[in-house]
């Protein structure tokens, strides 16, 4: 029993490692390469329009893929199990306290730090369900989508504008 449990945990940790690595590469490539490039070349309005549409599609298709493969490759379902469990203990208490701050706080935090995919999957009812999106899930998805993209468009455009200003200042000083 113990070796089987240890084997199960090894599988989960390996899967989460691969899942987080793949998600990290996809998100960082999208946010740090594609997003700034498109805003730089197309400008704020058209660049944001293109990136918001791409973001919507990528997050939605990631949800569809996640539900299709029925694999907890980010550990989100496991976190939901802990959140919903009746167990006690220091770790459990701390995690439950953090996760109990209300859906809007969670939506805001996840939308700024991660993306609408993670936000919806985390806030969906039940763990390991992989059963599509309810009306509430669609609302969460759209709210998270707006928060996430407004935040990231502002951050990227501000960074690009500051970089452009610095380059002009350096050129005019030489």
């Amino acid at each position: 029993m113990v070796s089987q449990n240890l084997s199960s945990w090894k599988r989960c940790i390996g899967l989460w490692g691969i899942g987080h690595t793949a998600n990290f590469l996809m998100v960082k490539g999208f946010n740090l390469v594609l997003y700034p490039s498109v805003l730089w070349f197309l400008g704020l309005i058209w660049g944001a329009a293109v990136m918001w549409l791409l973001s919507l599609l990528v997050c939605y298709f990631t949800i569809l893929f996640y539900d299709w493969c029925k694999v907890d490759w980010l550990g989100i379902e496991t976190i939901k199990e802990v959140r919903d469990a009746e167990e006690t203990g220091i770790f459990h208490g701390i995690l439950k306290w953090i996760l109990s701050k209300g859906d809007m706080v969670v939506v805001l935090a996840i939308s700024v730090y991660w993306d609408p995919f993670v936000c919806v999957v985390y806030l969906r009812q039940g763990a390991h369900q992989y059963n599509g999106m309810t009306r509430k899930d669609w609302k969460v998805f759209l709210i998270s989508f707006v928060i996430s993209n407004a935040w990231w468009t502002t951050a990227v455009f501000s960074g690009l504008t500051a970089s452009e200003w610095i380059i002009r200042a350096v050129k005019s000083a030489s």
Side-chain angles (χ1 to χ4, degrees):
M1 176 88 174
V2 172
S3 64
Q4 187 179 29
N5 199 11
L6 182 60
S7 173
S8 176
W9 274 107
K10 284 181 182 177
R11 182 183 175 280
C12 284
I13 290 169
L15 179 64
W16 295 338
I18 292 168
H20 277 277
T21 300
N23 193 58
F24 175 84
L25 293 173
M26 180 180 72
V27 168
K28 295 306 177 190
F30 189 88
N31 286 345
L32 300 178
V33 176
L34 188 60
Y35 221 112
S37 299
V38 170
L39 284 182
W40 179 265
F41 289 112
L42 297 180
L44 177 60
I45 303 301
W46 286 106
V50 167
M51 291 313 299
W52 283 47
L53 177 61
L54 286 176
S55 172
L56 182 79
L57 294 173
V58 167
C59 288
Y60 178 67
F61 284 120
T62 305
I63 292 169
L64 291 178
F65 174 75
Y66 185 80
D67 286 347
W68 173 79
C69 71
K70 296 182 182 345
V71 174
D72 184 20
W73 43 272
L74 291 176
I76 297 170
E77 303 302 323
T78 303
I79 291 171
K80 288 165 51 174
E81 279 183 70
V82 171
R83 174 194 69 193
D84 298 339
E86 297 297 324
E87 298 176 28
T88 60
I90 293 172
F91 171 73
H92 222 81
I94 292 170
L95 187 58
K96 284 184 93 96
W97 179 79
I98 292 168
L99 300 177
S100 70
K101 292 302 164 194
D103 284 357
M104 281 314 296
V105 172
V106 173
V107 167
L108 182 61
I110 293 174
S111 298
V112 169
Y113 193 75
W114 285 291
D115 61 21
F117 158 67
V118 172
C119 190
V120 166
V121 170
Y122 174 73
L123 287 173
R124 285 197 296 196
Q125 284 298 114
H128 304 284
Q129 298 294 314
Y130 311 106
N131 54 359
M133 297 199 333
T134 64
R135 179 176 281 219
K136 177 189 175 227
D137 298 332
W138 275 105
K139 288 178 185 176
V140 168
F141 180 74
L142 293 173
I143 291 167
S144 178
F145 164 75
V146 170
I147 292 169
S148 182
N149 280 280
W151 166 258
W152 197 244
T153 300
T154 303
V156 170
F157 188 73
S158 297
L160 290 172
T161 303
S163 298
E164 192 175 33
W165 181 82
I166 291 168
I167 291 168
R168 285 186 186 155
V170 168
K171 282 184 179 181
S172 67
S174 344

